[in-house]
Amino acid sequence: MSSTIESVLQEKRVFPPSPQFVKQANISGMDAYRRLVAEFERDFEGTWGRLARENLLWHKPFTKVLDESNAPFYKWFYDGELNASYNCLDRHLKTQPDKVAIIFEADDGSVTKITYQQLYKEVCKLANALKAHGVKKGDRVLIYMPMSIQVVTAMQACARIGATHSVVFGGFSAKSLQERIIDAGATEVITADGQFRAARRSRSSRWWTRRSRWAGARRCATLSSTSAPAARCRCRRRATSGGTTWSRASPIPASRPG
């Protein structure tokens, strides 16, 4: 019996995309793809620089694409400054505010769509709430939530005000949450009061989520110089659960890095 493994994967068919899809694609066909590959082969650093200038909005333009002076610790666009939330949201408000930014399908099959304009307002609400809680540029925020549009909103709000976020899986225990609060040095926890599992909303899961977040926060009281817990929890109303609403939707200017 031969020990050689023979591959039977001899698929050579090519399935070209429709002309309509090619027209709206970022790389419109194989010819455009080959030209881009050739450009990278000639000058990969210059090509990355061109794409970064054309596709991102910079608060402070970079002067050097790649710094190799301390290899293998390479630095890309190291002296440039931008805000992730501004690039994800603000840049679309003048040209396509009503375009759908996120399509979310929940566990029960329900579909929610949110436009760039709507998402921008939700992000500003939470950014205001975080600032009202004293969160500032450079602070660490833990996001302990089930999968939802609000998770994206929370990440965007943190980026908008210059806070660093760390996402913790919503099914982790109080102990796991506590450890991550301590390791990150977090000053805030954004969470929900329940979630759907297998298209059902369970009382036990709601109670467990609430118990876990407060138990984890209480165990981290030593992180604060006061008697209050260092990690303050904030509920957000979402499709699967009730809770407190976030603050007003007044615009929050994107924070500059630094």
Side-chain angles (χ1 to χ4, degrees):
M1 184 176 180
S2 175
S3 60
T4 303
I5 299 176
E6 181 180 355
S7 173
V8 294
L9 298 178
Q10 302 297 328
E11 180 60 77
K12 295 182 179 180
R13 291 177 296 171
V14 177
F15 301 90
S18 66
Q20 293 81 5
F21 186 86
V22 170
K23 187 177 180 180
Q24 59 85 46
N26 291 323
I27 300 178
S28 57
M30 287 303 298
D31 290 340
Y33 170 75
R34 293 189 182 99
R35 288 195 297 271
L36 184 61
V37 170
E39 183 182 358
F40 269 108
E41 290 175 343
R42 289 193 304 271
D43 179 15
F44 80 93
E45 189 172 333
T47 304
W48 277 122
R50 176 182 68 79
L51 293 174
R53 292 184 182 94
E54 291 177 358
N55 294 282
L56 295 173
L57 299 177
W58 298 82
H59 289 315
K60 176 187 174 185
F62 58 87
T63 60
K64 188 174 181 60
V65 175
L66 175 61
D67 180 6
E68 301 180 272
S69 61
N70 191 29
F73 302 102
Y74 302 102
K75 295 180 181 179
W76 290 86
F77 315 110
Y78 75 95
D79 60 344
E81 295 179 0
L82 54 74
N83 183 279
S85 179
Y86 187 88
N87 273 273
C88 290
L89 300 176
D90 301 55
R91 62 182 302 171
H92 299 292
L93 297 182
K94 291 183 178 180
T95 58
Q96 50 185 7
D98 297 323
K99 182 177 181 179
V100 174
I102 299 175
I103 302 174
F104 174 73
E105 183 173 347
D107 192 62
D108 62 356
S110 61
V111 176
T112 303
K113 298 180 181 180
I114 185 169
T115 66
Y116 282 110
Q117 183 70 56
Q118 293 169 330
L119 184 58
Y120 168 78
K121 289 182 177 179
E122 291 298 303
V123 168
C124 286
K125 286 181 184 179
L126 182 53
N128 272 295
L130 291 172
K131 290 183 70 175
H133 271 218
V135 179
K136 58 187 183 301
K137 183 189 297 186
D139 286 349
R140 270 86 67 190
V141 177
L142 251 67
I143 301 173
Y144 178 57
M145 298 176 68
M147 289 183 291
S148 64
I149 290 177
Q150 284 71 33
V151 173
V152 179
T153 304
M155 291 188 284
Q156 287 283 323
C158 290
R160 194 162 194 85
I161 63 176
T164 302
H165 74 265
S166 175
V167 178
V168 178
F169 172 52
F172 279 174
S173 67
K175 177 64 175 175
S176 298
L177 177 62
Q178 174 212 16
E179 291 171 347
R180 284 157 178 79
I181 292 172
I182 294 173
D183 289 344
T187 61
E188 196 87 7
V189 174
I190 304 173
T191 189
D193 65 355
Q195 62 179 304
F196 273 127
R197 282 292 182 183
R200 294 192 305 272
R201 182 178 175 181
S202 168
R203 286 180 177 272
S204 60
S205 68
R206 289 190 67 216
W207 174 80
W208 178 85
T209 305
R210 187 182 297 113
R211 179 194 64 178
S212 294
R213 72 165 187 259
W214 286 118
R218 282 199 304 271
R219 294 174 189 173
C220 298
T222 54
L223 291 175
S224 175
S225 59
T226 68
S227 59
R232 300 179 295 262
C233 297
R234 182 77 173 178
C235 293
R236 169 65 165 101
R237 185 191 302 135
R238 55 182 299 256
T240 60
S241 63
T244 16
T245 56
W246 286 335
S247 239
R248 61 192 185 282
S250 57
I252 292 288
S255 172
R256 290 176 177 268

